[in-house]
Amino acid sequence: MSRYEDYATVSKAYDETRTPIGADILRRCLGAAGTPLSERRLLDAGCGTGAYSQAMLPHIGHIDAVDLNADMLAVARAKLADDAAAGRIVFHRGSIDALPFTDATFDAAMINQVLHHLEDGSDPTFPAHEAVIAEMHRLLRPGGVLVINACTREQLAGGYWYYDLVPQARESCIRRQVPTERLTAMLDQAGFQPRAPEAALDAVMQGEAYFDPTGPLRENWRKGDSFWALATAEQIAAAAQRVREMQAAGTLETWFQDRDKRRKGVGQFTFFAAVKGRE
């Protein structure tokens, strides 16, 4: 469903660095509606390679995982084959703004790091976001909970040290990210009761790989963040050259540490939970 990332290619290396960060926050948010998680039917909308489904399976009764990209879905199917065989998860290929389920099918839904792929930000009303939120409202039962895991614009501006290497791509990322106030308003207008957002201040998107200042030199490392898909080949080459020059000068580690300080104040991800009003 991405408007800019080639997930058919990225799927082959995605799990090398990506981890389901904030899974504890996600589980807590999903528990907001009251009934035990073990009795819930959960929709993973835009499941990718299934990392968040895998993290939730020990706690959730059943998961329906949906993704539009066949290659990402194939990785998820292989990863969770045993759970699928046991009937605990079912995979579907489809677009998250028009899903093949009847109204009020699910007790909970999660959307992890998907919304920024929907549109380029040229329309400040973010209509594609509205369509997805309306679809989630349709699919949830009254009292059901929706959790959206997304970066805020502030996190994109200061939470990722390597974004300084290609500021043009960072600006494109920020433009594509719906402002927090707009997202909250969308949830309210759709009939949800938004909860206070919660940032994952201590977690990093690429796990231990994130702390490698030479990471931008490797293609598979870059495939862990769709930020790089918004950079031109020339910009990526210039970023790599800058890393090599700092490495040769012995200043790379200090440069990395100075920029990573900003992350500790804002985090990288935020979880937005909202409950569908009871009718």
Side-chain angles (χ1 to χ4, degrees):
M1 195 156 186
S2 178
R3 291 175 60 93
Y4 62 94
E5 179 65 277
D6 176 15
Y7 278 119
T9 301
V10 167
S11 62
K12 300 175 177 61
Y14 193 77
D15 284 346
E16 289 186 18
T17 62
R18 288 299 287 266
T19 60
I21 72 167
D24 54 334
I25 298 175
L26 177 58
R27 188 168 63 250
R28 186 164 63 250
C29 290
L30 289 173
T35 59
L37 289 178
S38 59
E39 299 175 10
R40 304 274 186 89
R41 183 176 179 183
L42 171 66
L43 171 65
D44 186 354
C47 68
T49 62
Y52 278 98
S53 279
Q54 186 175 43
M56 292 300 109
L57 272 169
H59 312 283
I60 292 285
H62 178 85
I63 297 177
D64 287 271
V66 181
D67 205 274
L68 188 60
N69 186 274
D71 296 275
M72 295 289 272
L73 205 56
V75 174
R77 289 181 192 274
K79 183 190 301 182
L80 301 175
D82 290 344
D83 294 287
R88 301 204 57 235
I89 185 168
V90 177
F91 294 98
H92 312 264
R93 188 179 180 193
S95 177
I96 64 172
D97 60 354
L99 291 166
F101 304 107
T102 57
D103 295 359
T105 293
F106 297 96
D107 304 294
M110 61 181 183
I111 305 174
N112 294 294
Q113 291 297 306
V114 173
L115 292 184
H116 58 286
H117 289 286
L118 301 182
E119 47 197 320
D120 63 10
S122 57
D123 186 336
T125 67
F126 287 87
H129 288 59
E130 285 187 332
V132 168
I133 289 172
E135 181 71 345
M136 296 303 108
H137 189 272
R138 180 184 74 81
L139 293 173
L140 284 170
R141 296 172 181 140
V145 61
L146 168 65
V147 182
I148 296 172
N149 163 8
C151 302
T152 66
R153 289 187 167 187
E154 293 75 18
Q155 288 169 330
L156 291 172
Y160 298 83
W161 62 269
Y162 50 90
Y163 284 16
D164 276 14
L165 293 169
V166 191
Q168 303 92 331
R170 175 172 54 202
E171 289 306 310
S172 184
C173 283
I174 291 171
R175 186 170 60 252
R176 292 166 185 273
Q177 183 60 57
V178 61
T180 296
E181 298 78 10
R182 178 71 186 127
L183 178 58
T184 301
M186 286 181 190
L187 291 166
D188 182 68
Q189 291 162 9
F192 287 103
Q193 299 167 356
R195 303 295 178 89
E198 184 172 355
L201 291 176
D202 298 326
V204 291
M205 182 172 67
Q206 291 176 277
E208 288 302 313
Y210 168 84
F211 297 99
D212 179 2
T214 67
L217 300 177
R218 299 188 298 279
E219 183 179 8
N220 279 3
W221 190 95
R222 296 195 302 269
K223 285 179 180 177
D225 188 346
S226 59
F227 159 84
W228 295 100
L230 294 169
T232 66
E234 292 77 12
Q235 289 166 349
I236 292 173
Q241 181 61 26
R242 188 177 177 195
V243 169
R244 292 189 188 96
E245 289 172 354
M246 288 190 287
Q247 187 178 25
T251 60
L252 180 59
E253 182 65 28
T254 299
W255 182 89
F256 157 71
Q257 293 290 347
D258 285 345
R259 277 141 190 83
D260 191 48
K261 289 176 183 176
R262 299 172 301 188
R263 171 187 59 83
K264 299 170 185 178
V266 298
Q268 292 188 338
F269 287 11
T270 296
F271 291 83
F272 299 84
V275 177
K276 180 176 177 177
R278 295 188 181 276
E279 299 170 356

